[in-house]
Amino acid sequence: MNNDLQNTTTYCSLREIRQRKEALLHDIRKDNKQMGKLWKDLFAKPAKSNRKKGFSLASFMGTGMGVVDGALLAWKLYRKFKR
């Protein structure tokens, strides 16, 4: 049988309660700072690489597909509203 009262701490004065409260508050603030730092690191932008910003095959294909997609959309809209 599990007794929850065995794990509790008894306090004899208000000073002991106040010290425990301050210690817990300090630990909570420290954990909050650590979680904030981890959260920022999680969503931080990766460091820039030393690659040139020239034309690469991937950027060319991405731009080309964007242009083709835009042209198809324009053609569809033109045909739909052509009256």
Side-chain angles (χ1 to χ4, degrees), residues 23-50:
L24 288 173
L25 184 60
H26 176 71
D27 290 342
I28 290 171
R29 286 183 178 157
K30 185 174 71 170
D31 289 344
N32 192 19
K33 282 183 183 179
Q34 184 180 5
M35 287 190 313
K37 182 181 175 188
L38 291 173
W39 184 261
K40 287 180 183 178
D41 290 344
L42 182 65
F43 292 105
K45 291 183 180 178
K48 292 184 179 180
S49 64
N50 292 333

mmCIF file of all heavy atoms in Angstrom, residues 23-50:
data_model
loop_
_atom_site.group_PDB
_atom_site.id
_atom_site.type_symbol
_atom_site.label_atom_id
_atom_site.label_comp_id
_atom_site.label_asym_id
_atom_site.label_seq_id
_atom_site.Cartn_x
_atom_site.Cartn_y
_atom_site.Cartn_z
ATOM 1 N N ALA A 23 13.616 28.608 -2.686
ATOM 2 C CA ALA A 23 14.413 27.621 -3.404
ATOM 3 C C ALA A 23 13.643 27.073 -4.607
ATOM 4 O O ALA A 23 14.210 26.917 -5.704
ATOM 5 C CB ALA A 23 14.818 26.483 -2.465
ATOM 6 N N LEU A 24 12.374 26.796 -4.415
ATOM 7 C CA LEU A 24 11.561 26.309 -5.525
ATOM 8 C C LEU A 24 11.407 27.370 -6.607
ATOM 9 O O LEU A 24 11.472 27.065 -7.806
ATOM 10 C CB LEU A 24 10.181 25.874 -5.021
ATOM 11 C CG LEU A 24 10.143 24.581 -4.214
ATOM 12 C CD1 LEU A 24 8.748 24.370 -3.640
ATOM 13 C CD2 LEU A 24 10.557 23.406 -5.060
ATOM 14 N N LEU A 25 11.212 28.623 -6.214
ATOM 15 C CA LEU A 25 11.081 29.702 -7.185
ATOM 16 C C LEU A 25 12.374 29.867 -7.979
ATOM 17 O O LEU A 25 12.348 30.066 -9.201
ATOM 18 C CB LEU A 25 10.715 31.009 -6.477
ATOM 19 C CG LEU A 25 10.454 32.219 -7.358
ATOM 20 C CD1 LEU A 25 9.288 31.949 -8.303
ATOM 21 C CD2 LEU A 25 10.161 33.437 -6.514
ATOM 22 N N HIS A 26 13.514 29.744 -7.297
ATOM 23 C CA HIS A 26 14.802 29.830 -7.979
ATOM 24 C C HIS A 26 14.947 28.702 -9.003
ATOM 25 O O HIS A 26 15.366 28.940 -10.146
ATOM 26 C CB HIS A 26 15.937 29.765 -6.951
ATOM 27 C CG HIS A 26 17.298 29.739 -7.562
ATOM 28 N ND1 HIS A 26 17.865 30.833 -8.174
ATOM 29 C CD2 HIS A 26 18.202 28.737 -7.672
ATOM 30 C CE1 HIS A 26 19.051 30.504 -8.632
ATOM 31 N NE2 HIS A 26 19.282 29.227 -8.329
ATOM 32 N N ASP A 27 14.570 27.487 -8.622
ATOM 33 C CA ASP A 27 14.656 26.354 -9.541
ATOM 34 C C ASP A 27 13.713 26.522 -10.729
ATOM 35 O O ASP A 27 14.074 26.203 -11.871
ATOM 36 C CB ASP A 27 14.329 25.048 -8.805
ATOM 37 C CG ASP A 27 15.412 24.658 -7.817
ATOM 38 O OD1 ASP A 27 16.545 25.178 -7.919
ATOM 39 O OD2 ASP A 27 15.105 23.830 -6.927
ATOM 40 N N ILE A 28 12.522 27.037 -10.485
ATOM 41 C CA ILE A 28 11.560 27.251 -11.566
ATOM 42 C C ILE A 28 12.087 28.284 -12.548
ATOM 43 O O ILE A 28 12.005 28.105 -13.772
ATOM 44 C CB ILE A 28 10.186 27.670 -10.999
ATOM 45 C CG1 ILE A 28 9.529 26.482 -10.290
ATOM 46 C CG2 ILE A 28 9.272 28.208 -12.096
ATOM 47 C CD1 ILE A 28 8.280 26.851 -9.521
ATOM 48 N N ARG A 29 12.657 29.372 -12.048
ATOM 49 C CA ARG A 29 13.193 30.413 -12.936
ATOM 50 C C ARG A 29 14.377 29.895 -13.740
ATOM 51 O O ARG A 29 14.538 30.221 -14.919
ATOM 52 C CB ARG A 29 13.577 31.644 -12.128
ATOM 53 C CG ARG A 29 12.368 32.418 -11.665
ATOM 54 C CD ARG A 29 12.745 33.669 -10.926
ATOM 55 N NE ARG A 29 11.541 34.410 -10.550
ATOM 56 C CZ ARG A 29 11.491 35.276 -9.568
ATOM 57 N NH1 ARG A 29 12.573 35.532 -8.840
ATOM 58 N NH2 ARG A 29 10.369 35.917 -9.292
ATOM 59 N N LYS A 30 15.232 29.088 -13.108
ATOM 60 C CA LYS A 30 16.377 28.520 -13.804
ATOM 61 C C LYS A 30 15.902 27.592 -14.921
ATOM 62 O O LYS A 30 16.410 27.652 -16.038
ATOM 63 C CB LYS A 30 17.264 27.757 -12.818
ATOM 64 C CG LYS A 30 18.544 27.220 -13.432
ATOM 65 C CD LYS A 30 19.452 26.611 -12.379
ATOM 66 C CE LYS A 30 18.831 25.315 -11.908
ATOM 67 N NZ LYS A 30 19.727 24.516 -11.065
ATOM 68 N N ASP A 31 14.915 26.755 -14.626
ATOM 69 C CA ASP A 31 14.372 25.862 -15.650
ATOM 70 C C ASP A 31 13.700 26.646 -16.764
ATOM 71 O O ASP A 31 13.787 26.268 -17.943
ATOM 72 C CB ASP A 31 13.376 24.880 -15.034
ATOM 73 C CG ASP A 31 14.037 23.830 -14.162
ATOM 74 O OD1 ASP A 31 15.274 23.657 -14.272
ATOM 75 O OD2 ASP A 31 13.323 23.193 -13.363
ATOM 76 N N ASN A 32 13.024 27.738 -16.418
ATOM 77 C CA ASN A 32 12.363 28.574 -17.418
ATOM 78 C C ASN A 32 13.390 29.182 -18.371
ATOM 79 O O ASN A 32 13.178 29.234 -19.588
ATOM 80 C CB ASN A 32 11.537 29.654 -16.729
ATOM 81 C CG ASN A 32 10.620 30.358 -17.695
ATOM 82 O OD1 ASN A 32 10.323 29.856 -18.761
ATOM 83 N ND2 ASN A 32 10.176 31.531 -17.307
ATOM 84 N N LYS A 33 14.517 29.651 -17.830
ATOM 85 C CA LYS A 33 15.570 30.206 -18.683
ATOM 86 C C LYS A 33 16.129 29.140 -19.608
ATOM 87 O O LYS A 33 16.367 29.391 -20.790
ATOM 88 C CB LYS A 33 16.703 30.776 -17.830
ATOM 89 C CG LYS A 33 16.415 32.114 -17.229
ATOM 90 C CD LYS A 33 17.624 32.624 -16.477
ATOM 91 C CE LYS A 33 17.350 33.945 -15.791
ATOM 92 N NZ LYS A 33 18.527 34.426 -15.048
ATOM 93 N N GLN A 34 16.338 27.952 -19.078
ATOM 94 C CA GLN A 34 16.883 26.872 -19.889
ATOM 95 C C GLN A 34 15.909 26.471 -21.001
ATOM 96 O O GLN A 34 16.317 26.269 -22.144
ATOM 97 C CB GLN A 34 17.199 25.661 -19.022
ATOM 98 C CG GLN A 34 17.852 24.527 -19.779
ATOM 99 C CD GLN A 34 18.153 23.340 -18.891
ATOM 100 O OE1 GLN A 34 17.796 23.322 -17.727
ATOM 101 N NE2 GLN A 34 18.815 22.349 -19.448
ATOM 102 N N MET A 35 14.619 26.383 -20.681
ATOM 103 C CA MET A 35 13.632 26.049 -21.704
ATOM 104 C C MET A 35 13.550 27.143 -22.758
ATOM 105 O O MET A 35 13.399 26.860 -23.945
ATOM 106 C CB MET A 35 12.263 25.809 -21.078
ATOM 107 C CG MET A 35 12.163 24.514 -20.331
ATOM 108 S SD MET A 35 10.515 24.033 -19.807
ATOM 109 C CE MET A 35 9.839 25.493 -19.092
ATOM 110 N N GLY A 36 13.640 28.408 -22.341
ATOM 111 C CA GLY A 36 13.621 29.511 -23.306
ATOM 112 C C GLY A 36 14.803 29.441 -24.246
ATOM 113 O O GLY A 36 14.671 29.670 -25.452
ATOM 114 N N LYS A 37 15.965 29.122 -23.711
ATOM 115 C CA LYS A 37 17.161 29.017 -24.542
ATOM 116 C C LYS A 37 17.021 27.858 -25.530
ATOM 117 O O LYS A 37 17.337 28.005 -26.714
ATOM 118 C CB LYS A 37 18.386 28.798 -23.666
ATOM 119 C CG LYS A 37 19.666 28.719 -24.436
ATOM 120 C CD LYS A 37 20.851 28.481 -23.520
ATOM 121 C CE LYS A 37 22.107 28.296 -24.352
ATOM 122 N NZ LYS A 37 23.241 27.885 -23.556
ATOM 123 N N LEU A 38 16.530 26.715 -25.054
ATOM 124 C CA LEU A 38 16.341 25.575 -25.948
ATOM 125 C C LEU A 38 15.303 25.875 -27.018
ATOM 126 O O LEU A 38 15.441 25.464 -28.169
ATOM 127 C CB LEU A 38 15.933 24.335 -25.143
ATOM 128 C CG LEU A 38 17.012 23.744 -24.246
ATOM 129 C CD1 LEU A 38 16.429 22.632 -23.385
ATOM 130 C CD2 LEU A 38 18.172 23.233 -25.060
ATOM 131 N N TRP A 39 14.245 26.599 -26.652
ATOM 132 C CA TRP A 39 13.199 26.969 -27.610
ATOM 133 C C TRP A 39 13.764 27.867 -28.699
ATOM 134 O O TRP A 39 13.490 27.689 -29.880
ATOM 135 C CB TRP A 39 12.059 27.662 -26.877
ATOM 136 C CG TRP A 39 10.889 27.987 -27.750
ATOM 137 C CD1 TRP A 39 10.606 29.188 -28.318
ATOM 138 C CD2 TRP A 39 9.856 27.097 -28.172
ATOM 139 N NE1 TRP A 39 9.461 29.112 -29.051
ATOM 140 C CE2 TRP A 39 8.970 27.832 -28.981
ATOM 141 C CE3 TRP A 39 9.592 25.762 -27.931
ATOM 142 C CZ2 TRP A 39 7.853 27.266 -29.553
ATOM 143 C CZ3 TRP A 39 8.466 25.210 -28.507
ATOM 144 C CH2 TRP A 39 7.620 25.964 -29.311
ATOM 145 N N LYS A 40 14.588 28.854 -28.309
ATOM 146 C CA LYS A 40 15.190 29.741 -29.304
ATOM 147 C C LYS A 40 16.155 28.977 -30.200
ATOM 148 O O LYS A 40 16.227 29.226 -31.404
ATOM 149 C CB LYS A 40 15.918 30.892 -28.612
ATOM 150 C CG LYS A 40 14.983 31.909 -28.023
ATOM 151 C CD LYS A 40 15.746 33.031 -27.352
ATOM 152 C CE LYS A 40 14.801 34.007 -26.690
ATOM 153 N NZ LYS A 40 15.512 35.075 -25.986
ATOM 154 N N ASP A 41 16.929 28.046 -29.618
ATOM 155 C CA ASP A 41 17.858 27.260 -30.419
ATOM 156 C C ASP A 41 17.121 26.358 -31.399
ATOM 157 O O ASP A 41 17.618 26.072 -32.487
ATOM 158 C CB ASP A 41 18.757 26.400 -29.521
ATOM 159 C CG ASP A 41 19.760 27.243 -28.743
ATOM 160 O OD1 ASP A 41 19.970 28.421 -29.103
ATOM 161 O OD2 ASP A 41 20.325 26.715 -27.756
ATOM 162 N N LEU A 42 15.939 25.904 -31.019
ATOM 163 C CA LEU A 42 15.167 25.016 -31.876
ATOM 164 C C LEU A 42 14.728 25.729 -33.148
ATOM 165 O O LEU A 42 14.741 25.156 -34.230
ATOM 166 C CB LEU A 42 13.946 24.484 -31.126
ATOM 167 C CG LEU A 42 13.039 23.510 -31.857
ATOM 168 C CD1 LEU A 42 13.796 22.216 -32.159
ATOM 169 C CD2 LEU A 42 11.811 23.215 -31.019
ATOM 170 N N PHE A 43 14.346 26.996 -33.032
ATOM 171 C CA PHE A 43 13.831 27.733 -34.175
ATOM 172 C C PHE A 43 14.817 28.756 -34.727
ATOM 173 O O PHE A 43 14.447 29.626 -35.500
ATOM 174 C CB PHE A 43 12.513 28.432 -33.811
ATOM 175 C CG PHE A 43 11.401 27.454 -33.566
ATOM 176 C CD1 PHE A 43 10.973 27.175 -32.287
ATOM 177 C CD2 PHE A 43 10.815 26.801 -34.625
ATOM 178 C CE1 PHE A 43 9.952 26.273 -32.053
ATOM 179 C CE2 PHE A 43 9.796 25.889 -34.412
ATOM 180 C CZ PHE A 43 9.369 25.623 -33.128
ATOM 181 N N ALA A 44 16.073 28.660 -34.343
ATOM 182 C CA ALA A 44 17.078 29.588 -34.852
ATOM 183 C C ALA A 44 17.398 29.256 -36.301
ATOM 184 O O ALA A 44 17.368 28.092 -36.716
ATOM 185 C CB ALA A 44 18.340 29.515 -34.009
ATOM 186 N N LYS A 45 17.695 30.265 -37.071
ATOM 187 C CA LYS A 45 18.062 30.039 -38.465
ATOM 188 C C LYS A 45 19.433 29.379 -38.506
ATOM 189 O O LYS A 45 20.317 29.713 -37.715
ATOM 190 C CB LYS A 45 18.107 31.358 -39.222
ATOM 191 C CG LYS A 45 16.760 31.991 -39.412
ATOM 192 C CD LYS A 45 16.872 33.258 -40.228
ATOM 193 C CE LYS A 45 15.500 33.878 -40.417
ATOM 194 N NZ LYS A 45 15.584 35.129 -41.176
ATOM 195 N N PRO A 46 19.625 28.449 -39.411
ATOM 196 C CA PRO A 46 20.940 27.808 -39.502
ATOM 197 C C PRO A 46 21.986 28.810 -39.981
ATOM 198 O O PRO A 46 21.664 29.803 -40.651
ATOM 199 C CB PRO A 46 20.731 26.694 -40.524
ATOM 200 C CG PRO A 46 19.522 27.080 -41.289
ATOM 201 C CD PRO A 46 18.675 27.906 -40.366
ATOM 202 N N ALA A 47 23.208 28.529 -39.638
ATOM 203 C CA ALA A 47 24.297 29.422 -40.039
ATOM 204 C C ALA A 47 24.417 29.414 -41.556
ATOM 205 O O ALA A 47 24.221 28.391 -42.222
ATOM 206 C CB ALA A 47 25.605 28.959 -39.408
ATOM 207 N N LYS A 48 24.752 30.556 -42.094
ATOM 208 C CA LYS A 48 24.878 30.672 -43.541
ATOM 209 C C LYS A 48 26.115 29.908 -43.999
ATOM 210 O O LYS A 48 27.163 29.944 -43.377
ATOM 211 C CB LYS A 48 24.991 32.131 -43.959
ATOM 212 C CG LYS A 48 23.726 32.916 -43.731
ATOM 213 C CD LYS A 48 23.864 34.319 -44.249
ATOM 214 C CE LYS A 48 22.575 35.088 -44.040
ATOM 215 N NZ LYS A 48 22.691 36.461 -44.540
ATOM 216 N N SER A 49 25.959 29.232 -45.106
ATOM 217 C CA SER A 49 27.084 28.488 -45.651
ATOM 218 C C SER A 49 27.925 29.417 -46.521
ATOM 219 O O SER A 49 27.532 30.533 -46.858
ATOM 220 C CB SER A 49 26.590 27.296 -46.462
ATOM 221 O OG SER A 49 25.862 27.754 -47.579
ATOM 222 N N ASN A 50 29.057 28.940 -46.914
ATOM 223 C CA ASN A 50 29.973 29.744 -47.720
ATOM 224 C C ASN A 50 29.724 29.584 -49.219
ATOM 225 O O ASN A 50 30.560 29.981 -50.019
ATOM 226 C CB ASN A 50 31.422 29.342 -47.403
ATOM 227 C CG ASN A 50 31.805 29.748 -45.999
ATOM 228 O OD1 ASN A 50 31.263 30.687 -45.457
ATOM 229 N ND2 ASN A 50 32.746 29.023 -45.422
#
